[in-house]
Amino acid sequence: MPATRLLYLCSLPHSGSTLLSLFLGGHSRLVGLGGIERSVSVLASAEGGSLHCTCGQSATECPYWGEVSRRLPAGKKLPQIERYRLALEVFPQVFGPEAWPVDSSKHIEQLTELRTLPGLDLRAIHLIKDIRSNAISAIDRARRKKGNRRPGWLLAIENFHRWRRENGKIDTAVERLGIPAVRVGYEELCLKHEQVLAAIAAALHLPDEPLSLSLESSRSHLIVGNRMRAQSEKQQLRYDNRWFSRGEWLPAAVLFRSAMHYNARAVYGTGESTWSR
Protein backbone atom coordinates (compact mmCIF):
# COMPACT_ATOMS: atom_id res chain seq x y z
CA MET A 1 0.00 0.00 0.00
CA PRO A 2 1.37 3.47 -0.84
CA ALA A 3 2.43 5.46 2.20
CA THR A 4 -0.58 7.40 3.47
CA ARG A 5 -1.99 8.95 6.60
CA LEU A 6 -4.99 8.53 8.85
CA LEU A 7 -6.46 10.60 11.65
CA TYR A 8 -8.77 8.37 13.69
CA LEU A 9 -11.37 9.80 16.08
CA CYS A 10 -11.92 7.68 19.21
CA SER A 11 -14.84 8.46 21.48
CA LEU A 12 -17.90 7.15 23.23
CA PRO A 13 -21.16 7.37 21.25
CA HIS A 14 -22.92 10.76 21.31
CA SER A 15 -19.68 12.66 21.98
CA GLY A 16 -19.64 14.80 18.82
CA SER A 17 -17.21 12.81 16.65
CA THR A 18 -19.17 13.24 13.40
CA LEU A 19 -19.52 16.98 14.01
CA LEU A 20 -15.80 17.32 14.81
CA SER A 21 -14.82 15.45 11.64
CA LEU A 22 -17.00 17.78 9.57
CA PHE A 23 -15.40 20.86 11.14
CA LEU A 24 -11.90 19.45 10.65
CA GLY A 25 -12.76 19.12 6.98
CA GLY A 26 -12.57 22.92 6.86
CA HIS A 27 -8.76 22.68 6.94
CA SER A 28 -7.11 22.43 3.53
CA ARG A 29 -5.21 19.29 4.59
CA LEU A 30 -8.04 17.41 6.32
CA VAL A 31 -10.92 15.46 4.77
CA GLY A 32 -13.63 13.94 6.95
CA LEU A 33 -14.85 10.58 5.64
CA GLY A 34 -17.10 9.35 8.43
CA GLY A 35 -16.65 5.70 9.35
CA ILE A 36 -14.39 4.48 6.56
CA GLU A 37 -14.72 0.70 6.89
CA ARG A 38 -18.48 0.83 7.41
CA SER A 39 -18.88 3.20 4.45
CA VAL A 40 -17.02 0.85 2.10
CA SER A 41 -19.08 -2.08 3.39
CA VAL A 42 -22.38 -0.27 2.75
CA LEU A 43 -21.11 1.01 -0.60
CA ALA A 44 -20.55 -2.58 -1.69
CA SER A 45 -24.02 -3.65 -0.59
CA ALA A 46 -27.38 -3.33 -2.31
CA GLU A 47 -27.84 0.01 -0.51
CA GLY A 48 -24.79 1.52 -2.17
CA GLY A 49 -26.62 2.92 -5.16
CA SER A 50 -28.94 5.02 -3.00
CA LEU A 51 -26.24 6.69 -0.89
CA HIS A 52 -25.53 10.40 -1.14
CA CYS A 53 -22.33 12.17 -0.11
CA THR A 54 -22.01 15.40 1.83
CA CYS A 55 -20.14 16.83 -1.19
CA GLY A 56 -23.54 17.05 -2.91
CA GLN A 57 -23.07 14.11 -5.28
CA SER A 58 -24.39 10.60 -5.15
CA ALA A 59 -21.89 8.16 -3.67
CA THR A 60 -21.09 6.68 -7.09
CA GLU A 61 -20.47 10.16 -8.56
CA CYS A 62 -18.45 11.47 -5.61
CA PRO A 63 -14.81 11.99 -6.69
CA TYR A 64 -13.63 9.86 -3.75
CA TRP A 65 -16.31 7.29 -2.96
CA GLY A 66 -17.09 6.85 -6.64
CA GLU A 67 -13.49 5.79 -7.26
CA VAL A 68 -13.60 3.46 -4.24
CA SER A 69 -16.81 1.95 -5.60
CA ARG A 70 -15.28 1.34 -9.03
CA ARG A 71 -12.37 -0.56 -7.47
CA LEU A 72 -14.51 -2.88 -5.38
CA PRO A 73 -14.30 -6.42 -6.79
CA ALA A 74 -17.66 -7.49 -8.21
CA GLY A 75 -19.37 -10.32 -6.37
CA LYS A 76 -16.64 -10.61 -3.75
CA LYS A 77 -16.99 -9.65 -0.09
CA LEU A 78 -13.72 -8.21 1.15
CA PRO A 79 -12.48 -8.76 4.73
CA GLN A 80 -12.69 -5.69 6.96
CA ILE A 81 -9.00 -4.82 6.77
CA GLU A 82 -9.02 -5.16 2.97
CA ARG A 83 -11.94 -2.73 2.72
CA TYR A 84 -9.92 -0.30 4.77
CA ARG A 85 -6.79 -0.87 2.71
CA LEU A 86 -8.67 -0.11 -0.50
CA ALA A 87 -10.12 3.13 0.88
CA LEU A 88 -6.69 4.32 2.07
CA GLU A 89 -5.04 3.46 -1.25
CA VAL A 90 -7.53 5.62 -3.15
CA PHE A 91 -7.33 8.60 -0.79
CA PRO A 92 -3.90 10.12 -1.66
CA GLN A 93 -4.60 9.60 -5.34
CA VAL A 94 -7.72 11.80 -5.07
CA PHE A 95 -6.66 14.36 -2.44
CA GLY A 96 -2.86 14.32 -2.67
CA PRO A 97 -0.15 12.84 -0.43
CA GLU A 98 -0.20 15.71 2.08
CA ALA A 99 -3.87 15.37 3.02
CA TRP A 100 -5.15 13.48 6.07
CA PRO A 101 -8.31 11.35 5.91
CA VAL A 102 -10.36 11.69 9.09
CA ASP A 103 -12.19 8.56 10.25
CA SER A 104 -14.91 9.12 12.85
CA SER A 105 -15.62 5.43 13.48
CA LYS A 106 -14.97 5.88 17.24
CA HIS A 107 -14.36 2.17 17.96
CA ILE A 108 -10.91 1.28 19.28
CA GLU A 109 -11.07 -2.32 18.07
CA GLN A 110 -10.13 -1.20 14.55
CA LEU A 111 -6.92 0.45 15.78
CA THR A 112 -5.21 -2.90 16.35
CA GLU A 113 -5.81 -3.97 12.74
CA LEU A 114 -4.92 -0.57 11.34
CA ARG A 115 -1.60 -0.70 13.18
CA THR A 116 -0.64 -3.69 11.02
CA LEU A 117 -0.97 -1.80 7.72
CA PRO A 118 2.52 -1.04 6.36
CA GLY A 119 3.40 2.55 5.56
CA LEU A 120 0.42 4.00 7.44
CA ASP A 121 1.06 7.14 9.52
CA LEU A 122 -1.69 6.64 12.10
CA ARG A 123 -2.69 9.37 14.58
CA ALA A 124 -5.67 9.57 16.92
CA ILE A 125 -7.91 12.09 18.61
CA HIS A 126 -9.55 11.00 21.84
CA LEU A 127 -12.73 13.10 21.95
CA ILE A 128 -14.25 13.12 25.40
CA LYS A 129 -17.42 14.72 26.74
CA ASP A 130 -17.90 16.03 30.28
CA ILE A 131 -19.02 13.15 32.48
CA ARG A 132 -21.86 15.21 33.98
CA SER A 133 -23.22 16.34 30.62
CA ASN A 134 -22.79 12.81 29.27
CA ALA A 135 -24.80 11.36 32.18
CA ILE A 136 -27.72 13.78 31.80
CA SER A 137 -27.78 13.21 28.05
CA ALA A 138 -27.80 9.42 28.59
CA ILE A 139 -30.66 9.70 31.10
CA ASP A 140 -32.77 11.72 28.69
CA ARG A 141 -32.09 9.30 25.82
CA ALA A 142 -33.05 6.37 28.03
CA ARG A 143 -36.31 8.08 28.94
CA ARG A 144 -37.11 9.21 25.39
CA LYS A 145 -36.05 6.22 23.31
CA LYS A 146 -36.43 3.28 25.68
CA GLY A 147 -39.07 4.46 28.11
CA ASN A 148 -36.70 3.72 31.00
CA ARG A 149 -38.28 4.93 34.27
CA ARG A 150 -35.61 3.87 36.74
CA PRO A 151 -34.39 6.63 39.08
CA GLY A 152 -32.17 9.17 37.35
CA TRP A 153 -29.49 8.95 40.03
CA LEU A 154 -29.18 5.19 39.38
CA LEU A 155 -28.90 5.70 35.63
CA ALA A 156 -26.24 8.34 36.28
CA ILE A 157 -24.19 5.94 38.43
CA GLU A 158 -24.31 3.33 35.66
CA ASN A 159 -23.31 5.95 33.11
CA PHE A 160 -20.41 7.25 35.25
CA HIS A 161 -19.05 3.72 35.53
CA ARG A 162 -19.39 3.09 31.78
CA TRP A 163 -17.90 6.51 30.88
CA ARG A 164 -14.81 5.95 33.01
CA ARG A 165 -14.31 2.36 31.87
CA GLU A 166 -14.67 3.07 28.14
CA ASN A 167 -12.54 6.21 28.13
CA GLY A 168 -9.91 4.28 30.07
CA LYS A 169 -9.95 1.64 27.32
CA ILE A 170 -9.23 4.32 24.73
CA ASP A 171 -6.29 5.64 26.77
CA THR A 172 -4.93 2.11 27.18
CA ALA A 173 -5.34 1.24 23.49
CA VAL A 174 -3.47 4.25 22.11
CA GLU A 175 -0.74 3.82 24.70
CA ARG A 176 -0.35 0.08 24.08
CA LEU A 177 -0.28 0.52 20.32
CA GLY A 178 2.07 3.50 20.47
CA ILE A 179 -0.27 5.74 18.48
CA PRO A 180 0.43 9.50 18.75
CA ALA A 181 -2.78 11.02 20.05
CA VAL A 182 -4.27 14.21 21.38
CA ARG A 183 -7.15 14.32 23.83
CA VAL A 184 -9.87 16.86 23.04
CA GLY A 185 -12.68 17.85 25.38
CA TYR A 186 -15.99 18.47 23.63
CA GLU A 187 -16.83 21.26 26.05
CA GLU A 188 -13.52 23.00 25.41
CA LEU A 189 -14.21 22.63 21.70
CA CYS A 190 -17.48 24.49 22.26
CA LEU A 191 -16.05 27.18 24.55
CA LYS A 192 -12.74 27.93 22.82
CA HIS A 193 -12.80 26.19 19.48
CA GLU A 194 -10.00 28.25 17.93
CA GLN A 195 -7.52 27.14 20.61
CA VAL A 196 -8.59 23.50 20.42
CA LEU A 197 -8.52 23.31 16.63
CA ALA A 198 -5.11 25.02 16.63
CA ALA A 199 -3.83 22.36 19.06
CA ILE A 200 -5.05 19.61 16.71
CA ALA A 201 -3.37 21.27 13.72
CA ALA A 202 -0.13 21.67 15.68
CA ALA A 203 -0.15 18.02 16.74
CA LEU A 204 -0.40 17.01 13.08
CA HIS A 205 2.23 19.59 11.99
CA LEU A 206 -0.31 21.17 9.67
CA PRO A 207 -0.08 24.70 8.27
CA ASP A 208 -1.52 27.29 10.64
CA GLU A 209 -4.77 28.43 9.08
CA PRO A 210 -8.12 29.50 10.51
CA LEU A 211 -10.73 26.78 10.65
CA SER A 212 -14.28 27.87 9.95
CA LEU A 213 -17.14 26.38 11.94
CA SER A 214 -19.36 26.66 8.88
CA LEU A 215 -20.04 23.25 7.41
CA GLU A 216 -20.34 24.83 3.96
CA SER A 217 -16.54 25.14 3.93
CA SER A 218 -15.93 21.53 4.89
CA ARG A 219 -14.21 19.23 2.40
CA SER A 220 -15.77 16.22 4.06
CA HIS A 221 -17.18 13.28 2.14
CA LEU A 222 -19.58 11.37 4.38
CA ILE A 223 -21.96 8.82 2.92
CA VAL A 224 -22.96 7.07 6.14
CA GLY A 225 -24.14 8.74 9.35
CA ASN A 226 -24.37 12.21 7.87
CA ARG A 227 -27.95 13.20 8.67
CA MET A 228 -26.83 16.32 10.55
CA ARG A 229 -25.91 17.96 7.25
CA ALA A 230 -29.65 18.12 6.57
CA GLN A 231 -30.53 19.18 10.13
CA SER A 232 -29.45 22.78 10.69
CA GLU A 233 -30.11 22.62 14.42
CA LYS A 234 -27.40 19.95 14.74
CA GLN A 235 -24.77 21.75 12.70
CA GLN A 236 -23.51 23.97 15.51
CA LEU A 237 -21.26 23.37 18.48
CA ARG A 238 -23.39 23.84 21.56
CA TYR A 239 -22.33 23.53 25.17
CA ASP A 240 -24.85 21.23 26.81
CA ASN A 241 -25.52 22.90 30.17
CA ARG A 242 -28.48 20.80 31.27
CA TRP A 243 -26.40 19.39 34.11
CA PHE A 244 -26.20 22.90 35.66
CA SER A 245 -29.83 22.74 36.82
CA ARG A 246 -30.21 19.01 37.39
CA GLY A 247 -28.86 16.93 40.24
CA GLU A 248 -29.15 13.29 39.12
CA TRP A 249 -25.38 13.18 38.60
CA LEU A 250 -24.46 14.37 42.13
CA PRO A 251 -24.60 10.96 43.94
CA ALA A 252 -22.47 9.45 41.15
CA ALA A 253 -19.92 12.27 41.51
CA VAL A 254 -19.53 11.43 45.20
CA LEU A 255 -19.06 7.72 44.47
CA PHE A 256 -16.72 8.21 41.50
CA ARG A 257 -14.32 10.88 42.74
CA SER A 258 -11.44 9.52 40.69
CA ALA A 259 -13.62 9.80 37.58
CA MET A 260 -14.34 13.43 38.44
CA HIS A 261 -10.61 14.15 38.75
CA TYR A 262 -10.00 12.43 35.40
CA ASN A 263 -12.87 14.42 33.91
CA ALA A 264 -11.38 17.76 34.99
CA ARG A 265 -7.96 16.83 33.61
CA ALA A 266 -9.07 15.18 30.37
CA VAL A 267 -12.00 17.33 29.28
CA TYR A 268 -10.63 20.73 30.24
CA GLY A 269 -6.94 20.31 29.51
CA THR A 270 -6.80 19.92 25.73
CA GLY A 271 -3.60 21.91 25.24
CA GLU A 272 -1.76 19.98 27.93
CA SER A 273 -2.80 16.44 27.06
CA THR A 274 -1.04 15.85 23.76
CA TRP A 275 1.01 12.65 23.81
CA SER A 276 4.07 12.89 21.60
CA ARG A 277 6.29 9.97 20.71
Side-chain angles (χ1 to χ4, degrees):
M1 183 183 73
T4 188
R5 301 165 168 184
L6 177 65
L7 179 59
Y8 193 93
L9 303 188
C10 306
S11 73
L12 273 64
H14 308 289
S15 295
S17 62
T18 299
L19 191 59
L20 176 57
S21 74
L22 287 168
F23 287 136
L24 290 176
H27 193 284
S28 62
R29 298 279 186 86
L30 297 172
V31 183
L33 298 176
I36 293 177
E37 189 277 328
R38 181 178 171 227
S39 295
V40 179
S41 179
V42 175
L43 194 63
S45 71
E47 303 174 53
S50 63
L51 296 174
H52 283 80
C53 181
T54 53
C55 71
Q57 303 291 325
S58 68
T60 54
E61 295 174 340
C62 167
Y64 174 68
W65 290 114
E67 182 62 25
V68 172
S69 177
R70 285 187 285 274
R71 297 195 190 188
L72 286 169
K76 179 181 178 182
K77 186 175 181 180
L78 293 176
Q80 174 177 309
I81 195 62
E82 292 303 318
R83 293 196 293 267
Y84 224 117
R85 189 194 303 272
L86 172 62
L88 292 178
E89 283 180 349
V90 171
F91 184 85
Q93 298 168 22
V94 175
F95 299 104
E98 299 301 316
W100 287 82
V102 181
D103 185 332
S104 55
S105 291
K106 299 184 286 294
H107 309 297
I108 59 174
E109 292 78 13
Q110 287 187 352
L111 289 175
T112 300
E113 284 198 272
L114 288 170
R115 208 66 174 118
T116 67
L117 291 177
L120 178 63
D121 184 358
L122 177 61
R123 312 288 179 91
I125 290 178
H126 178 186
L127 180 63
I128 183 169
K129 195 172 184 180
D130 190 302
I131 193 170
R132 298 161 293 190
S133 174
N134 192 72
I136 295 301
S137 179
I139 291 170
D140 288 351
R141 284 196 307 275
R143 300 272 194 256
R144 183 177 65 255
K145 295 184 177 181
K146 300 179 181 179
N148 194 320
R149 297 302 170 194
R150 288 189 298 160
W153 61 266
L154 181 58
L155 293 174
I157 287 175
E158 294 173 351
N159 185 262
F160 264 55
H161 176 69
R162 182 167 56 252
W163 180 97
R164 185 63 185 95
R165 181 189 67 224
E166 296 305 315
N167 280 300
K169 287 181 179 179
I170 294 174
D171 286 341
T172 299
V174 296
E175 183 69 29
R176 175 176 56 83
L177 296 169
I179 300 171
V182 58
R183 192 186 289 125
V184 171
Y186 177 80
E187 282 70 21
E188 281 212 327
L189 185 62
C190 294
L191 297 172
K192 45 185 180 181
H193 63 268
E194 291 183 355
Q195 178 179 330
V196 172
L197 294 174
I200 294 173
L204 295 174
H205 306 291
L206 296 177
D208 185 15
E209 59 185 56
L211 282 178
S212 170
L213 292 187
S214 170
L215 296 187
E216 278 80 30
S217 65
S218 177
R219 288 203 308 158
S220 298
H221 292 263
L222 279 69
I223 60 173
V224 175
N226 62 347
R227 289 177 298 170
M228 63 175 53
R229 284 300 293 267
Q231 299 173 342
S232 58
E233 72 278 5
K234 293 186 178 181
Q235 294 180 10
Q236 299 178 2
L237 287 171
R238 295 181 179 177
Y239 187 97
D240 186 352
N241 62 3
R242 283 175 291 174
W243 65 271
F244 285 10
S245 58
R246 293 172 56 176
E248 296 103 317
W249 59 271
L250 289 168
V254 173
L255 291 173
F256 293 90
R257 293 190 177 184
S258 63
M260 290 296 293
H261 288 302
Y262 175 82
N263 182 73
R265 184 177 71 254
V267 178
Y268 299 97
T270 296
E272 301 174 358
S273 59
T274 300
W275 304 306
S276 57
R277 297 180 177 84

